[in-house]
Amino acid sequence: MKDELLKLLDKAYAPYSKFQVAAIIEMKDGKFIPGVNVENASYGATICAERNAITTAVTMGYKAGDFKRLYVMVSGDKLSTPCFMCRQVITEFFDKDCEIIEMGKDGTMEKHLVADLCPYPFDKSDL
Ligand SMILES: [Zn+2]
């Protein structure tokens, strides 16, 4: 997965922060869905790689429960977990026992469960 993430990292559109992010979702049916961060001159219009991949999966017809694992690589030297806006969207589609894997360009990696990164989610049960 490291090579796929490295290749995807180059596709990130990050002219302002220079912080490139690549995300790949492994679906339960075995498909892999990519996403990169896409920045905008109006910074608030920027979308993260994780949400880009998730919305692509939804566009392709996937539903909550179809998501298995999320891989994330950033251009920085340290591993990064998804931002909290992405964590909110992750909790909408990923089960609590799904893995989120942060992978470095050198192949180092950390693994977290959705339940660990999103311990008190705001979800449909709150509405
Ligand atoms: Zn994010």
Side-chain angles (χ1 to χ4, degrees):
M1 188 55 68
K2 186 184 98 174
D3 291 341
E4 289 84 351
L5 285 163
L6 275 171
K7 194 182 298 180
L8 187 59
L9 208 54
D10 280 340
K11 294 182 179 171
Y13 179 73
Y16 307 107
S17 72
K18 315 290 188 205
F19 187 75
Q20 298 165 301
V21 186
I24 296 177
I25 301 170
E26 182 179 353
M27 307 304 297
K28 288 181 179 172
D29 68 2
K31 292 237 172 46
F32 292 89
I33 299 175
V36 295
N37 57 329
V38 180
E39 294 184 344
N40 192 280
S42 175
Y43 296 168
T46 294
I47 185 165
C48 298
E50 299 91 322
R51 281 179 289 133
N52 196 354
I54 291 168
T55 56
T56 297
V58 172
T59 301
M60 293 170 69
Y62 288 104
K63 310 286 186 212
D66 294 337
F67 296 70
K68 181 176 181 181
R69 188 173 287 125
L70 173 65
Y71 295 89
V72 180
M73 179 181 282
V74 301
S75 58
D77 290 332
K78 67 183 268 304
L79 301 177
S80 292
T81 55
C83 78
F84 279 77
M85 194 178 290
C86 285
R87 293 186 200 196
Q88 178 63 37
V89 177
I90 286 168
T91 62
E92 185 79 17
F93 295 101
F94 286 74
D95 295 330
K96 290 179 176 11
D97 61 347
C98 288
E99 294 174 336
I100 297 175
I101 297 173
E102 300 89 30
M103 188 170 285
K105 291 178 290 183
D106 61 357
T108 57
M109 58 182 238
E110 282 184 16
K111 190 186 302 185
H112 300 277
L113 295 179
V114 168
D116 295 331
L117 290 182
C118 315
Y120 304 103
F122 176 87
D123 60 24
K124 59 187 174 193
S125 70
D126 293 298
L127 301 176

